[in-house]
């Protein structure tokens, strides 16, 4: 582990943003997808679960295997709505992808997340986002609506780069944009086998996992072992008092069963 950390890159889902699975919110998004696909059904939620979501499972297998993300138009015409009106699907591909994300829940910044990011920037760290997700619209809207764009000097999304973690390329794109060397970078994420493995493969000087659910044990291996973990996002402030410094004594050691 390198203690000369100057750059901190964040995962989004499950790390910096969490999901509120409001049933009415989910149902509205599923109904909107049926409408956008030109499907008339008395039960859009059942149709979505049995058709679109099952097809997405197949797409995800492909995406994980090849560590890539398909463009929105390809996602819908090849994988999710290949047997529907293709002209309509192409026209609505961007909105369909946006609504698909909403079928999983309303995403909000984790408690203390915005304040922590602002303070890390004030302490001299350069921050960035490296995230796997479908759709080009959602993250830009969120960053602008929440007023967080100025705090992230790079935002790398698999929906833009078409490459996914743990593939090294998306990490390299982020480092290149901010002029960072891997040994001076830390990655913070919740998925050991995607976030941590990818960052370590790139030679990041440090990795930290978040474990918001203390009752869910970590499945650690030599390959996915992070340098530390936090139970709340603001605990990052304890680890990073100032740019180029790491409070090693504040790191919580990751262990199986914790």
């Amino acid at each position: 582990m390198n203690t000369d950390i100057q750059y901190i890159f964040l995962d989004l889902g499950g790390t910096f943003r969490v999901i509120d699975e409001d049933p009415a919110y989910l149902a509205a998004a599923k109904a909107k997808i049926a409408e956008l696909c030109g499907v008339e059904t008395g039960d859009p939620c059942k149709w979505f679960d049995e058709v679109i979501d099952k097809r997405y499972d197949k797409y995800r297998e492909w995406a994980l295997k090849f560590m890539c993300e398909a463009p929105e138009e390809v996602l819908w015409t090849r994988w999710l709505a290949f047997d529907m009106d293709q002209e309509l699907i192409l026209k609505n591909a961007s909105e369909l992808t946006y609504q698909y994300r909403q079928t999983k829940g309303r995403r909000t910044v984790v408690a203390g997340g915005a304040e922590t990011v602002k303070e890390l920037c004030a302490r001299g760290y350069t921050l960035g986002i490296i995230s796997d997700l479908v759709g080009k619209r959602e993250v830009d809207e969120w960053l602008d609506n929440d007023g967080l764009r100025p705090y992230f000097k790079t935002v790398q999304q698999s929906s833009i780069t078409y490459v996914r973690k743990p593939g090294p390329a998306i990490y390299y794109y982020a480092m290149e944009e901010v002029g960072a060397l891997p040994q001076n970078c830390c990655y913070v994420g919740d998925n050991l086998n995607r976030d941590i493995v990818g960052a370590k493969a790139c030679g990041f000087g440090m990795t930290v996992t978040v474990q918001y659910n203390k009752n869910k044990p970590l499945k650690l291996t030599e390959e996915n072992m992070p340098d530390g973990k936090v139970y709340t996002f603001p605990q990052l402030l304890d680890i990073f008092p100032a740019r180029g410094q790491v409070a090693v004594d504040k790191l919580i050691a990751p262990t199986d069963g914790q």
Side-chain angles (χ1 to χ4, degrees):
M1 181 182 69
N2 184 15
T3 58
D4 184 20
I5 299 301
Q6 303 172 30
Y7 305 86
I8 301 173
F9 297 104
L10 305 178
D11 172 51
L12 286 183
T15 300
F16 190 56
R17 298 201 297 173
V18 292
I19 291 179
D20 173 16
E21 297 182 2
D22 174 43
Y25 187 87
L26 273 59
K30 293 177 181 181
K32 185 63 176 179
I33 286 178
E35 176 188 333
L36 291 168
C37 287
V39 172
E40 296 183 4
T41 172
D43 192 343
C45 291
K46 182 180 179 181
W47 170 80
F48 174 88
D49 293 343
E50 293 182 352
V51 177
I52 301 300
D53 226 16
K54 286 185 177 180
R55 291 177 179 179
Y56 189 85
D57 289 340
K58 293 292 185 181
Y59 164 74
R60 183 169 172 78
E61 288 179 14
W62 173 84
L64 293 176
K65 178 180 178 180
F66 293 102
M67 288 185 287
C68 68
E69 204 77 73
E72 293 169 319
E73 295 82 1
V74 176
L75 171 66
W76 288 92
T77 58
R78 177 182 175 185
W79 295 97
L80 305 185
F82 53 81
D83 54 351
M84 301 171 199
D85 183 334
Q86 294 297 281
E87 184 176 345
L88 180 65
I89 297 304
L90 282 170
K91 175 185 174 183
N92 293 332
S94 177
E95 182 65 19
L96 280 165
T97 309
Y98 180 84
Q99 292 297 331
Y100 184 86
R101 292 275 296 169
Q102 310 319 304
T103 66
K104 305 306 175 185
R106 182 186 291 106
R107 291 165 175 81
T108 57
V109 173
V110 69
E115 295 81 1
T116 299
V117 159
K118 293 174 184 178
E119 179 59 27
L120 287 171
C121 288
R123 293 180 182 186
Y125 293 98
T126 298
L127 270 59
I129 290 169
I130 305 175
S131 179
D132 290 339
L133 52 81
V134 297
K136 297 180 178 181
R137 165 184 162 191
E138 177 191 321
V139 170
D140 280 337
E141 287 188 358
W142 157 65
L143 286 171
D144 289 335
N145 290 340
D146 281 20
L148 292 173
R149 186 177 294 280
Y151 301 98
F152 296 104
K153 300 308 179 185
T154 181
V155 179
Q156 300 295 329
Q157 307 171 60
S158 62
S159 55
I160 305 295
T161 64
Y162 302 136
V163 294
R164 293 175 57 96
K165 298 174 289 184
I170 195 168
Y171 297 87
Y172 289 140
Y173 289 146
M175 287 187 283
E176 182 177 46
E177 185 164 359
V178 298
L181 293 173
Q183 61 265 30
N184 301 124
C185 297
C186 175
Y187 193 78
V188 182
D190 69 307
N191 188 304
L192 295 175
N193 295 322
R194 181 173 62 233
D195 300 327
I196 304 306
V197 167
K200 291 180 70 173
C202 290
F204 271 32
M206 185 177 178
T207 56
V208 175
T209 191
V210 299
Q211 189 183 5
Y212 297 144
N213 182 357
K214 293 184 180 181
N215 296 320
K216 185 177 180 180
L218 298 175
K219 297 180 180 179
L220 298 169
T221 67
E222 182 177 349
E223 186 181 21
N224 72 19
M225 177 75 72
D227 296 299
K229 68 179 175 181
V230 293
Y231 294 122
T232 68
F233 197 84
Q235 283 181 311
L236 291 172
L237 296 176
D238 298 330
I239 299 173
F240 301 108
R243 178 176 166 131
Q245 300 179 20
V246 173
V248 178
D249 60 320
K250 298 295 184 180
L251 281 171
I252 302 171
T255 57
D256 289 307
Q258 277 195 350

